[in-house]
Amino acid sequence: MTQIQGQMTRDANGVPSGWDYVAISAAAPTTTVVKTVPGILHSIVFNKPVSTGVVTIYDAITATGTPIATITSPTGGVPLTLVYDASFTVGLTIVTSTAAQDITVNYI
């Protein structure tokens, strides 16, 4: 699994002006704890959609918390962005299952 984590862009006053991100590229099912405190899930980007892939988003720091969404990857292989702009109160965990995934999670 390759995981890359970005940093929040801030203006001269320290105010957030961009989204943090985690890029998840996994050949096998994986669990990624993205954030361990409350925040906002902006979007999930399917960079290389796999038609049999499933991604579950949890408001939790484990894969057993409150599910925000369960997504079956779209077919067609065309990159796709799903915008949520949803707050989470515990943390943010992403679970990929059944197929290789290449996704980017944008959040604060």
Side-chain angles (χ1 to χ4, degrees), residues 2-18:
T2 302
Q3 180 176 319
I4 303 168
Q5 187 162 351
Q7 296 295 317
M8 170 61 71
T9 302
R10 297 182 182 274
D11 67 14
N13 297 316
V15 177
S17 60

Side-chain angles (χ1 to χ4, degrees), residues 17-89:
S17 60
W19 300 100
D20 283 337
Y21 70 89
V22 169
I24 301 169
S25 178
T30 188
T31 299
T32 303
V33 178
V34 174
K35 191 169 182 177
T36 60
V37 296
I40 298 172
L41 168 63
H42 173 59
S43 64
I44 302 285
V45 180
F46 289 85
N47 301 305
K48 296 177 185 171
V50 178
S51 62
T52 60
V54 175
V55 174
T56 305
I57 306 164
Y58 291 97
D59 181 352
I61 55 173
T62 65
T64 60
T66 303
I68 295 172
T70 299
I71 307 158
T72 299
S73 299
T75 58
V78 177
L80 174 70
T81 301
L82 301 176
V83 177
Y84 286 89
D85 288 339
S87 63
F88 50 90
T89 59

Side-chain angles (χ1 to χ4, degrees), residues 1-2 24-30 50 96-102:
M1 174 180 80
T2 302
I24 301 169
S25 178
T30 188
V50 178
T96 62
S97 58
T98 68
Q101 298 289 315
D102 182 354

